[in-house]
Amino acid sequence: MMKRILLFILTNLLVMLTIGIILSVFGVGSYLNESGSVNLMSLLIFSAIVGFTGAFISLAMSRIMAKWMMRVRVLKPEANLSHGERQLVEMVHRLSRSAGLMHMPQVGIYESHEVNAFATGPSKKRSLVAVSTGLLQEMDADAVEGIVAHEVAHIVNGDMVTMTLLQGVVNTFVVFLSRLAAWAVARLVKEELAWIVHLIAVIVFQIAFSILGSMVVLAFSRYREFHADAGGAHLAGKDKMIHALRGLQRHTDRMRDSQQTAISTLQISGKKRSALFSTHPDLEDRIRRLQAS
């Protein structure tokens, strides 16, 4: 249920795998010398091209993928909106203007009982803030404003772009190490089987190293959540931001008690998850840090 971050990571992995396999099959960017040894510089260049291409394609697709996966209904200001929908659009635009954004984010709603919201998009000019129907039904106006301000802060801080650059670096090491390991494994089998063993090993090692690399990206995500909380407190007010987090915490506790799953865009999870694979810090830690600021 780790929607925004894991959607980006999964898209990135699939794109990177596809690019890498296509280039390998057609022999583009070969990093093996005639003797069969690895040319480390050629492999590093190849890895950087595949790694950063995968990350930037994922970024470019982020808003489109989010709309498709979450079935987001975009609220156009000029459309015939309900009173609540128009209030949401005006809230997002007001907070965005206060944050200094020159281009207003798209605003959307998607059907879900989960109390959730997310921001995504390839740039500040092409961003999206979407909220669930569950959020609008469960939370009062102050809590909704705090959560929306948090998401606007993500856009202002450029977190998706920064994450893309980090993902590109991680991808580079993933591609480099997976092919180096695959080359070593392929040397252990007969020459006529080496190419197929190498191809399979590349896929296996790339998936394995990508899972390890995702820990770095998720650690960055947890770090940036504190900054988005601070940004949300600046835009909506500290009291509203803390009120929003406490509301999310109460909702989480209710969902956990009823053994149902919830969401994680603002660290909401019905099940206890290893800290290494969490996109967000613990809510209590976030509340304490805001109170101390």
Side-chain angles (χ1 to χ4, degrees):
M1 302 302 294
M2 299 186 294
K3 293 185 172 59
R4 177 171 56 88
I5 306 302
L6 292 192
L7 181 62
F8 172 80
I9 293 175
L10 178 60
T11 304
N12 167 79
L13 175 59
L14 293 175
V15 170
M16 190 171 59
L17 274 172
T18 302
I19 294 172
I21 291 172
I22 292 174
L23 293 180
S24 297
V25 168
F26 288 96
V28 178
S30 177
Y31 45 84
L32 297 178
N33 297 320
E34 293 182 0
S35 62
S37 61
V38 177
N39 184 321
L40 294 179
M41 183 54 66
S42 296
L43 177 57
L44 183 59
I45 294 172
F46 172 85
S47 301
I49 292 172
V50 173
F52 278 92
T53 300
F56 278 105
I57 289 177
S58 301
L59 178 66
M61 296 172 59
S62 60
R63 189 170 69 165
I64 296 173
M65 289 293 293
K67 290 179 185 178
W68 177 63
M69 292 289 290
M70 305 303 298
R71 298 179 181 179
V72 174
R73 177 169 59 89
V74 175
L75 305 178
K76 297 181 179 180
E78 67 276 11
N80 185 22
L81 304 177
S82 68
H83 177 69
E85 291 171 344
R86 188 162 298 282
Q87 279 189 320
L88 178 63
V89 173
E90 291 174 352
M91 177 189 293
V92 173
H93 288 184
R94 171 172 54 80
L95 292 169
S96 298
R97 285 191 293 270
S98 297
L101 290 178
M102 301 300 293
H103 299 269
M104 295 299 100
Q106 286 187 342
V107 183
I109 295 177
Y110 62 95
E111 293 290 332
S112 175
H113 294 302
E114 297 172 344
V115 175
N116 193 6
F118 67 87
T120 190
S123 68
K124 294 179 182 180
K125 291 183 179 181
R126 299 180 60 225
S127 58
L128 166 71
V129 173
V131 303
S132 69
T133 52
L135 172 68
L136 298 177
Q137 292 164 1
E138 290 280 339
M139 297 292 181
D140 60 32
D142 286 347
V144 172
E145 184 171 354
I147 291 171
V148 168
H150 171 99
E151 299 304 336
V152 170
H154 273 305
I155 298 172
V156 174
N157 294 340
D159 285 339
M160 286 299 290
V161 175
T162 308
M163 181 185 299
T164 299
L165 297 175
L166 175 62
Q167 186 71 66
V169 173
V170 170
N171 286 352
T172 298
F173 282 100
V174 167
V175 174
F176 183 87
L177 294 175
S178 63
R179 278 156 179 75
L180 201 60
W183 169 80
V185 170
R187 289 175 65 87
L188 301 176
V189 301
K190 296 180 180 180
E191 186 175 348
E192 57 269 22
L193 297 176
W195 73 272
I196 186 64
V197 171
H198 181 272
L199 181 60
I200 295 173
V202 163
I203 297 174
V204 172
F205 281 123
Q206 192 159 307
I207 292 174
F209 290 147
S210 291
I211 293 173
L212 294 176
S214 69
M215 295 181 186
V216 177
V217 179
L218 293 174
F220 170 79
S221 172
R222 293 192 296 272
Y223 169 74
R224 294 306 299 172
E225 286 304 310
F226 290 119
H227 288 266
D229 286 343
H234 175 74
L235 292 173
K238 183 192 292 189
D239 290 342
K240 288 183 180 179
M241 192 68 242
I242 292 175
H243 174 63
L245 294 177
R246 290 206 181 281
L248 291 170
Q249 190 175 46
R250 287 192 295 272
H251 176 77
T252 304
D253 292 340
R254 288 200 306 272
M255 297 298 283
R256 185 179 294 116
D257 291 341
S258 60
Q259 296 183 338
Q260 299 179 36
T261 56
I263 58 90
S264 70
T265 295
L266 289 173
Q267 180 43 43
I268 312 297
S269 177
K271 296 180 180 180
K272 185 67 175 178
R273 182 182 292 115
S274 169
L276 290 176
F277 291 98
S278 176
T279 58
H280 295 66
D282 183 76
L283 278 166
E284 278 294 344
D285 291 340
R286 294 167 63 182
I287 292 171
R288 281 195 295 268
R289 182 168 294 200
L290 271 180
Q291 289 174 329
S293 64

